[in-house]
Amino acid sequence: MGTLLGALLVAERKQWRHLPSLLLPGRWIWRQRTVRYSSTGRSNINKVLIANRGEIACRVIRTARKMGVQSVAVYSEADRNAMHVEMADEAYSIGPAASQQSYLSMEKIIQVAKVSASQAIHPGYGFLSENTEFAELCKQEGIIFIGPPSSAIRDMGIKSTSKTIMSAAGVPVIEGYHGEDQSDQCLKEHAGRIGYPVMIKAIRGGGGKGMRIARSEEEFQEQLESARREAKKSFNDDAMLLEKFVDTPRHVEVQVFGDQHGNAVYLFERDCSVQRRYQKIIEEAPGPGIDPEIRRRLGEAAVKAAKAVNYVGAGTVEFIMDSNHNFYFMEMNTRLQVEHPVTEMVTGTDLVEWQLRIASGEKLPLSQEEIRLKGHAFEARIYAEDPQDNFMPGAGPLVHLSTPPPGPSVRIETGVRQGDEVSVHYDPMIAKLVVWAADRQAALKKLRYSLHQYSITGLNTNIDFLLSLSRHPEFEAGNVHTDFIPQHYHDLLPPPSATAKEVLCQAVLGLLLQEKVVTNAFRLQTEDQVSPFASSSGRRLNFSHTRNMTLQDGKNKVAIAVKYNRDGSYSMQIEDKTFEVLGDLCNEGDCTYLKCSVNGIVSKPKLIISESTIYLFSMGGSAQIGIPVPKYLSSAHTEGVQGSALAPMTGTIEKVFVKAGDRVKTGDILMVMIAMKMEHTIKSPKDGTIKKVLFKEGSQACRHASLIEFVEEESDEA
């Protein structure tokens, strides 16, 4: 065993290092708004291993530190310099970047727990958090699993079993098929009996994985096969259940907690209806428009569900709710949820502390009567993704990252810092922005303000989309449902429009002022004070200098004539309009701001200039403006092999459906890729004949790599 450990683990037993000020005690990324119970009694958990990564690992470490509990982190090779590794008291390497060889390796994590003398393991969410075998293994090894008993994970993790248990317990259940016969024909027959549209769902797991909607009999088989492939990859189990799909439903879930003394409580509901790719993107508590009587019935049904499986610890009971506020059990997540902070904000609790204390054998800190609902909270998930490209996940470095200032009513839950990389191997979530206020409208206003303060460059994010969503009149009115984004797609994602000319003037001013900074630095270093490179004032003896500049606004080049005025200001002409512009740069903390006036209107946007892009962030919105590269400096421009199918992003080839010589039509499925934990179908861009398949199953393809080469078709012209 010792030899095996030596081969598997590289232990870093650390003393406290000099951490960024954002992470030092007393200046955490979030401060709890209020705690409604005192931490009396000493927990018998003195050291906890967090079997996870990213923001949830950081979240658990903060509470452990507050409680005086030592934290142990694990990390893959891709996460060697990650934030959770830096924050923990100890950190251990557990293998390659691939989750199956690191964060999903039960044996390695148990070995780290033994070597580090950890008394408990907190699984976070995802990975091993709902793994029955792992919970049982912890018990066998005498390690406390911070979660429910393995029997509850098993009963609630298999959706067909959970629905049977819920039905017997008197919890409302939606019509469907949860049987053992998994043949295609049987499932298809039951889909016809239930009536289309039907939801096809993996019996294990969650997070939108292995879930498809079949809206007609004709597309049932394709959707079934796709759901099975994704479920097999995510959960190693491709068994499916069917449910009647409720059009425009709400996704409402209830936070429950149970202890080892038979007590269970609910901490009210969260609305998680607004989703894309079946994954939540913005959550709130309490649910808008839910009256106290419905709230009580929801909570009592959730507690009934928890008690039916002798539940212990944090859990979430998810319901589908129709337009008449009828609700039906959907599933139970036997772990802490990603969106748990909104519940903490409206109840004044620390749910991770509850988890640690309950795992230590203590009773629930509060009775049902003592849990109070106060105010309203939103959580917005900030992802590295491109909403304009069907929310395609992204990966790459966070070149610049600045956030709203955290405080009692604003939390930033994150596992990355400026300079870190969003890895292709894991979920592309950058952070969760959580806000609280006295009521929904005030909280929504604070959410918008905080989103405007978030600035990220280096990769695409969904921040502007979240702003658009939060401003939508129907969202503001609380009329949310799971089809909200598809229904309002054109409002939420309008075609890109031309950047305002005033903003283009700001971009040019930023470039000119940066030139001054560089020139002044050169003048201080050079011995030739009359060098032409030591001045950028544009001063001429008998006339004002005019300089022609070009910026790239989306696909369009914009010509700007800049006249240098003697008082240090500029006159800028764009098309037939002239703007009087002046300003200066100022630094605040690590950020540079552009104090400027355009035709007398004063503003102070945040300014970031990279090699080829100017970024401007303000309360009016953000702008990304290109700096065209001269042809003699640019490399040869290529757009892939002519007549090929390209990888939308870096990922693994899961399935190949064609071979050389096959004849295909436009839209035929060629391959399936797995990237950022999602399945992506590669379809033929044209009619033609396959000349060569460039990647085999299991191989890795980089973004924009040619996957399939087509035979060149002869021209019809003589």
Side-chain angles (χ1 to χ4, degrees), residues 232-283:
K232 186 70 174 178
K233 185 74 175 178
S234 299
F235 317 119
N236 199 32
D237 189 339
D238 62 0
M240 295 285 139
L241 63 80
L242 305 177
E243 288 178 347
K244 176 65 179 175
F245 180 70
V246 180
D247 274 318
T248 61
R250 288 177 66 174
H251 179 136
V252 178
E253 62 187 32
V254 179
Q255 178 72 60
V256 294
F257 250 93
D259 63 22
Q260 298 173 33
H261 306 278
N263 304 306
V265 296
Y266 63 88
L267 290 92
F268 308 110
E269 82 283 355
R270 300 183 286 255
D271 191 294
C272 310
S273 300
V274 180
Q275 305 176 9
R276 49 86 182 111
R277 295 201 310 262
Y278 306 118
Q279 289 184 312
K280 303 160 190 172
I281 191 171
I282 192 165
E283 301 98 348

Side-chain angles (χ1 to χ4, degrees), residues 142-342:
I143 300 168
I144 298 171
F145 177 76
I146 300 178
S150 59
S151 59
I153 299 175
R154 180 179 61 249
D155 290 344
M156 302 308 272
I158 300 176
K159 293 183 177 67
S160 54
T161 303
S162 68
K163 290 180 186 297
T164 301
I165 295 172
M166 292 303 100
S167 181
V171 179
V173 176
I174 201 165
E175 183 183 359
Y177 172 72
H178 320 126
E180 294 184 5
D181 188 343
Q182 288 288 307
S183 66
D184 291 5
Q185 185 60 33
C186 177
L187 292 175
K188 191 170 184 178
E189 288 174 0
H190 279 286
R193 174 185 60 80
I194 295 166
Y196 291 95
V198 295
M199 176 73 81
I200 305 169
K201 297 170 70 173
I203 66 169
R204 294 183 183 271
K209 307 297 190 301
M211 185 184 298
R212 297 292 186 273
I213 297 172
R215 297 191 176 276
S216 66
E217 183 178 352
E218 289 72 27
E219 67 179 46
F220 179 81
Q221 191 64 33
E222 179 185 340
Q223 298 299 335
L224 174 63
E225 291 175 359
S226 178
R228 278 181 164 159
R229 283 193 302 270
E230 195 169 84
K232 186 70 174 178
K233 185 74 175 178
S234 299
F235 317 119
N236 199 32
D237 189 339
D238 62 0
M240 295 285 139
L241 63 80
L242 305 177
E243 288 178 347
K244 176 65 179 175
F245 180 70
V246 180
D247 274 318
T248 61
R250 288 177 66 174
H251 179 136
V252 178
E253 62 187 32
V254 179
Q255 178 72 60
V256 294
F257 250 93
D259 63 22
Q260 298 173 33
H261 306 278
N263 304 306
V265 296
Y266 63 88
L267 290 92
F268 308 110
E269 82 283 355
R270 300 183 286 255
D271 191 294
C272 310
S273 300
V274 180
Q275 305 176 9
R276 49 86 182 111
R277 295 201 310 262
Y278 306 118
Q279 289 184 312
K280 303 160 190 172
I281 191 171
I282 192 165
E283 301 98 348
E284 58 182 302
I290 295 179
D291 63 42
E293 174 60 21
I294 297 294
R295 178 166 297 123
R296 181 188 62 79
R297 287 172 47 206
L298 274 167
E300 290 177 354
V303 168
K304 191 182 293 184
K307 287 189 172 182
V309 291
N310 300 313
Y311 200 82
V312 175
T316 299
V317 184
E318 300 191 349
F319 296 97
I320 286 289
M321 179 178 282
D322 66 20
S323 57
N324 296 316
H325 287 182
N326 298 308
F327 56 87
Y328 308 93
F329 174 83
M330 183 166 59
E331 64 183 8
M332 184 175 188
N333 289 310
T334 54
R335 53 172 167 80
L336 196 67
Q337 289 280 84
V338 176
E339 58 273 17
H340 76 273
V342 291

Side-chain angles (χ1 to χ4, degrees), residues 335-385:
R335 53 172 167 80
L336 196 67
Q337 289 280 84
V338 176
E339 58 273 17
H340 76 273
V342 291
T343 295
E344 293 181 321
M345 297 293 260
V346 297
T347 59
T349 55
D350 182 335
L351 298 187
V352 174
E353 181 166 349
W354 280 40
Q355 285 187 296
L356 291 169
R357 294 194 173 281
I358 288 168
S360 300
E362 297 184 22
K363 289 185 177 181
L364 286 167
L366 296 173
S367 67
Q368 190 65 66
E369 294 72 26
E370 293 174 311
I371 300 171
R372 296 284 184 266
L373 179 64
K374 183 179 181 182
H376 202 97
F378 282 97
E379 174 181 284
R381 302 191 192 188
I382 296 173
Y383 281 98
E385 64 183 16

Side-chain angles (χ1 to χ4, degrees), residues 8-133:
L8 293 175
L9 307 174
V10 179
E12 277 188 10
R13 296 201 177 250
K14 308 184 298 182
Q15 300 296 320
W16 273 110
R17 301 174 179 175
H18 293 290
L19 301 180
S21 61
L22 192 62
L23 305 177
L24 288 175
R27 297 182 67 182
W28 298 335
I29 292 178
W30 69 274
R31 300 183 189 92
Q32 196 170 333
R33 188 170 57 82
T34 177
V35 179
R36 297 189 55 243
Y37 64 93
S38 59
S39 300
T40 58
R42 183 176 176 82
S43 168
N44 63 12
I45 296 176
N46 298 313
K47 182 182 281 191
V48 60
L49 183 151
I50 300 104
N52 218 297
R53 64 177 299 279
E55 60 90 13
I56 183 57
C58 297
R59 166 73 185 87
V60 175
I61 290 169
R62 281 192 290 273
T63 288
R65 186 186 302 169
K66 180 184 71 173
M67 297 175 67
V69 176
Q70 295 180 61
S71 58
V72 177
V74 292
Y75 63 91
S76 70
E77 291 173 2
D79 281 339
R80 181 172 296 276
N81 298 312
M83 184 171 166
H84 75 281
V85 176
E86 186 74 15
M87 287 181 66
D89 296 307
E90 301 174 25
Y92 294 77
S93 172
I94 53 171
S99 300
Q100 289 84 355
Q101 301 174 58
S102 52
Y103 296 108
L104 288 173
S105 175
M106 292 184 278
E107 182 187 41
K108 292 179 183 179
I109 289 170
I110 291 292
Q111 288 172 343
V112 172
K114 289 179 178 179
V115 168
S116 63
S118 297
Q119 292 124 332
I121 294 178
H122 194 302
Y125 42 71
F127 293 136
L128 296 172
S129 62
E130 294 179 283
N131 188 297
T132 305
E133 293 78 11

